[in-house]
């Protein structure tokens, strides 16, 4: 039963000394809460793109590319200038994102290797217990999605039976996923090559020359042995968002908070773009038209996502984290800007990626921060926001960056370790050590003063170099111990 209160009658009969008391109580009731007290189970969205370079967005200064929706969100949030993917290739980064741990701890050293183990603790598993509905949409790449039929790189093949690991086994209530890459337009169709030479080698496609009707060889799945057959034509980002929007609507109608990972395939090869989106770049060469076109198409879908949040009045209570899974692919128009290296490299260009976080009215927007952060930080940061303890004492490689986001912390204390064969790296607030797994050959860079990694200062700073090598060695030993399975005991 709801009580209806007639405020006019109450005030009419209230003595004069009651009114100041009401005002004082009201002042306390309306007092701005501390960051921890305002965190009332916000919705959480983790967007990840595929092979998007640091410079492949307008908000990082690229004047060619048109990403207005991303730029607007970033401008109203906090742009993370020094955000790292946990690896220079995709599967390891994805594992780090939902577990907070370096992927080698669970034996995922590279793309298309290993799988997310049942014993790992994931963000969606924890949030399910907190009443969240959870969904994964887009690329999975943390195991195969079928044992029954040939699918993508490993699905349905006997030698990869043990790598079967679907999202619903790791805390997701629903999913719409592919095992690995797909074309960025007509994702189920093998694209025709529009010209020979390097374009053929690197996978550039134009749908105007799309003569093929041959299947690409992969599928979208939304449940165990449930292959999707409808609404799979056109822009892949739109196809993905067509599944995200109903998920948000359903959670809204059920009055439940939601957690979702939206992992776009864009702009991973094979890159395919339609004439509408290529038309935004008609003054550029064809590879740039196609590459930028597919990013602009994806940007529109992120704008569509934000529009849906506003329609449901969820924009003020939804946190959006955005990043790429690694640097840009070799010999594409993708760019890491001033940073050295690209995908598969542990130099900055291979792991420093475009990133931001936006939480309207809760985090101060319009800021850029150069605080070092990494995809492994998502897990502890989300737990910190929700004031949840991690369930056990296994090693976690990430750290909460909440204090950095609310301006109380300016320097990272916990270094970031990277292993991407054949290289290994150790990054602190100021320095970056990078070497070869087999023979060392360590280089040292002052990232604060040499972000393009032009000057190796290892010889001039031998004591510091040796200390960082020892710290890296200790961390590597911890990772190797985890890889033996001792964390699960």
């Amino acid at each position: 039963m709801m009580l209806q209160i007639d405020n006019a009658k109450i005030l009419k009969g209230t003595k004069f000394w009651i009114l100041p008391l009401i005002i004082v109580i009201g002042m306390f009731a309306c007092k701005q809460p501390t960051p921890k007290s305002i965190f009332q189970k916000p919705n959480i969205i983790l967007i990840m793109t595929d092979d998007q370079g640091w410079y492949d967005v307008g908000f990082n200064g690229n004047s060619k590319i048109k990403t207005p929706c991303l730029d607007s969100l970033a401008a109203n949030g906090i742009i993370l200038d020094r955000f790292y993917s946990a690896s220079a290739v995709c599967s390891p980064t994805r594992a780090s994102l939902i577990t907070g741990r370096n992927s080698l701890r669970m034996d995922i050293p590279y793309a298309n290797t290993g799988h997310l183990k049942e014993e790992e603790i994931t963000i969606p598993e924890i949030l399910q217990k907190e009443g969240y509905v959870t969904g994964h949409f887009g690329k999975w790449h943390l195991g195969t999605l079928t044992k029954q039929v040939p699918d993508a790189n490993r699905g349905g093949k006997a030698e990869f039976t043990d790598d079967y690991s679907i999202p619903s086994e790791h805390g997701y209530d629903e999913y719409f996923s592919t095992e690995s890459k797909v074309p960025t337009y007509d994702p189920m169709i093998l694209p025709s090559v529009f010209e020979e030479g390097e374009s053929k080698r690197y996978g550039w496609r134009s749908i105007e020359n799309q003569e093929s009707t041959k299947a690409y060889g992969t599928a979208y799945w939304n449940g165990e042995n449930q292959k999707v057959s409808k609404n799979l034509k056109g822009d892949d980002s739109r196809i993905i968002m067509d599944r995200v929007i109903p998920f948000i609507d359903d959670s809204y109608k059920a009055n439940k908070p939601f957690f979702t990972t939206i992992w776009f395939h864009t702009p991973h090869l094979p890159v395919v773009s339609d004439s509408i989106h290529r038309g935004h770049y008609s003054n550029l060469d064809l590879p740039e038209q196609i590459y930028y076109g597919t990013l602009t198409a994806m940007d529109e879908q992120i704008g569509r996502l934000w529009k849906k949040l506003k329609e449901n009045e969820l924009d003020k209570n939804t946190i959006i984290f955005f990043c790429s899974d690694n640097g840009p692919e070799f010999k594409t128009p993708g760019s890491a800007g001033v940073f050295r290296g690209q995908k598969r490299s542990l130099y900055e260009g291979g792991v420093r990626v475009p990133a931001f976080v936006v939480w309207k009215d809760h985090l101060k927007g319009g800021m850029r921060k150069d605080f070092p952060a990494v995809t492994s930080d998502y897990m502890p940061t989300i737990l910190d926001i929700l004031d949840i303890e991690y369930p056990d004492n296994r090693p976690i490689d990430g750290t909460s960056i909440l204090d950095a986001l609310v301006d109380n912390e300016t320097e990272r204390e916990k270094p970031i370790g990277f292993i991407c064969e054949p290289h290994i790296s150790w990054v602190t607030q100021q320095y970056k050590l990078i070497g070869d797994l087999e023979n060392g050959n360590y280089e040292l860079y002052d990232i604060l003063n040499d972000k393009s990694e032009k000057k190796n200062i290892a010889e001039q700073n031998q004591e510091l170099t040796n200390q960082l090598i020892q710290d890296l060695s200790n961390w590597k030993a911890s990772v190797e111990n985890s890889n033996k399975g001792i964390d699960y005991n």
Side-chain angles (χ1 to χ4, degrees):
M1 177 178 178
M2 295 183 63
L3 297 177
Q4 296 186 2
I5 301 175
D6 190 332
N7 291 327
K9 288 183 179 180
I10 292 177
L11 290 174
K12 185 176 180 180
T14 302
K15 294 183 178 180
F16 72 94
W17 56 267
I18 294 292
L19 291 175
L21 179 61
I22 292 174
I23 293 171
V24 171
I25 292 172
M27 290 174 63
F28 278 101
C30 297
K31 183 180 178 182
Q32 287 297 312
T34 61
K36 282 288 179 68
S37 67
I38 63 174
F39 298 155
Q40 311 255 333
K41 288 190 177 179
N43 307 302
I44 302 169
I45 300 174
L46 304 183
I47 299 174
M48 179 175 280
T49 59
D50 202 345
D51 292 0
Q52 184 177 16
W54 183 91
Y55 195 57
D56 290 341
V57 285
F59 66 77
N60 278 344
N62 190 324
S63 59
K64 285 185 180 180
I65 198 166
K66 293 176 173 59
T67 52
C69 298
L70 283 171
D71 298 346
S72 176
L73 283 173
N76 286 284
I78 299 171
I79 298 171
L80 301 170
D81 274 330
R82 198 175 163 194
F83 189 89
Y84 295 100
S85 56
S87 180
V89 292
C90 54
S91 295
T93 295
R94 294 163 197 278
S96 77
L97 186 150
I98 59 173
T99 67
R101 287 156 48 90
N102 185 277
S103 66
L104 272 78
R105 295 188 186 275
M106 60 204 81
D107 198 24
I108 304 178
Y110 212 75
N112 300 304
T113 58
H115 62 277
L116 188 59
K117 289 181 166 54
E118 181 183 351
E119 297 89 346
E120 284 295 319
I121 299 169
T122 69
I123 300 173
E125 285 176 338
I126 293 174
L127 296 193
Q128 269 187 335
K129 296 175 182 177
E130 297 293 322
Y132 279 74
V133 291
T134 58
H136 176 79
F137 305 92
K139 188 176 184 179
W140 178 236
H141 227 196
L142 292 174
T144 65
L145 300 174
T146 177
K147 299 178 184 179
Q148 308 299 323
V149 296
D151 178 51
N153 297 313
R154 298 184 288 166
K157 299 176 182 178
E159 63 267 37
F160 299 117
T161 298
D162 291 343
D163 288 323
Y164 180 76
S165 184
I166 60 179
S168 55
E169 295 177 337
H170 302 286
Y172 287 104
D173 295 314
E174 66 177 89
Y175 64 91
F176 172 77
S177 306
T178 66
E179 177 191 317
S180 52
K181 68 181 184 296
V182 297
T184 56
Y185 195 98
D186 284 347
M188 300 294 101
I189 298 175
L190 179 69
S192 298
V193 178
F194 69 84
E195 63 182 59
E196 297 299 320
E198 284 200 347
S199 295
K200 181 176 182 180
R201 179 181 176 191
Y202 292 107
W204 299 109
R205 306 294 193 268
S206 165
I207 65 166
E208 273 63 42
N209 294 359
Q210 178 69 287
E211 299 172 355
S212 173
T213 56
K214 182 178 179 181
Y216 186 66
T218 192
Y220 270 107
W221 303 84
N222 62 5
E224 190 166 9
N225 298 321
Q226 296 178 20
K227 184 189 292 188
V228 179
S229 59
K230 296 181 179 179
N231 187 13
L232 297 175
K233 292 185 178 181
D235 179 65
D236 181 61
S237 297
R238 192 268 305 157
I239 290 168
I240 292 170
M241 195 56 66
D242 280 356
R243 274 69 181 191
V244 176
I245 297 299
F247 169 80
I248 292 174
D249 278 336
D250 289 345
S251 67
Y252 175 72
K253 292 172 184 175
N255 197 27
K256 289 186 176 182
F258 67 81
F259 167 82
T260 179
T261 40
I262 306 172
W263 292 354
F264 293 107
H265 300 92
T266 301
H268 193 294
L269 297 174
V271 181
V272 186
S273 180
D274 62 9
S275 59
I276 294 174
H277 294 96
R278 290 204 327 276
H280 293 294
Y281 306 99
S282 57
N283 61 319
L284 304 178
D285 62 33
L286 191 53
E288 287 181 306
Q289 290 179 28
I290 297 171
Y291 187 82
Y292 293 155
T294 198
L295 281 167
T296 297
M298 179 189 73
D299 181 79
E300 290 177 1
Q301 296 306 314
I302 292 173
R304 182 181 167 202
L305 170 66
W306 184 248
K307 181 181 179 182
K308 171 54 64 175
L309 293 174
K310 292 182 72 174
E311 286 176 356
N312 289 352
E313 298 182 344
L314 298 173
D315 53 316
K316 292 183 179 180
N317 196 39
T318 299
I319 310 171
I320 298 178
F321 292 91
F322 171 89
C323 73
S324 175
D325 65 345
N326 47 249
E329 179 61 273
F330 180 63
K331 286 196 176 180
T332 74
S335 173
V338 301
F339 301 111
R340 177 180 178 181
Q342 64 286 312
K343 180 179 180 178
R344 305 177 191 86
S345 167
L346 288 183
Y347 290 113
E348 291 288 282
V351 289
R352 190 186 287 215
V353 295
F356 66 79
V357 56
V358 59
W359 190 8
K360 194 174 178 181
D361 293 351
H362 296 295
L363 295 176
K364 184 178 179 181
M367 302 178 67
R368 299 187 77 103
K369 290 180 178 285
D370 60 1
F371 184 88
V374 64
T375 46
S376 303
D377 293 339
Y378 281 146
M379 162 77 90
T381 301
I382 289 169
L383 296 188
D384 198 11
I385 288 171
L386 299 176
D387 200 19
I388 299 172
E389 292 292 329
Y390 188 74
D392 70 12
N393 60 356
R394 69 185 61 180
I396 296 294
D397 296 289
T399 186
S400 173
I401 62 168
L402 180 57
D403 282 346
L405 295 176
V406 297
D407 249 357
N408 297 327
E409 188 175 3
T410 57
E411 292 192 11
R412 185 183 183 98
E413 294 183 3
K414 189 173 187 177
I416 305 170
F418 301 86
I419 302 174
C420 186
E421 292 187 357
H423 298 118
I424 190 167
S425 179
W426 190 243
V427 175
T428 68
Q429 175 71 25
Q430 182 168 0
Y431 297 102
K432 179 172 186 175
L433 182 77
I434 183 169
D436 189 282
L437 275 167
E438 292 296 323
N439 53 32
N441 292 333
Y442 287 104
E443 302 166 8
L444 182 66
Y445 297 95
D446 182 344
I447 294 298
L448 295 185
N449 298 297
D450 178 24
K451 61 184 180 182
S452 297
E453 298 169 291
K454 293 181 178 178
K455 186 178 180 181
N456 177 10
I457 60 172
E459 288 188 10
Q460 303 97 298
N461 298 270
Q462 198 59 60
E463 184 176 350
L464 172 61
T465 301
N466 290 340
Q467 180 59 58
L468 293 176
I469 290 173
Q470 184 58 57
D471 293 343
L472 174 57
S473 178
N474 293 340
W475 172 77
K476 182 172 176 285
S478 170
V479 171
E480 291 171 347
N481 281 336
S482 295
N483 190 261
K484 297 173 185 176
I486 63 174
D487 295 345
Y488 306 144
N489 295 333

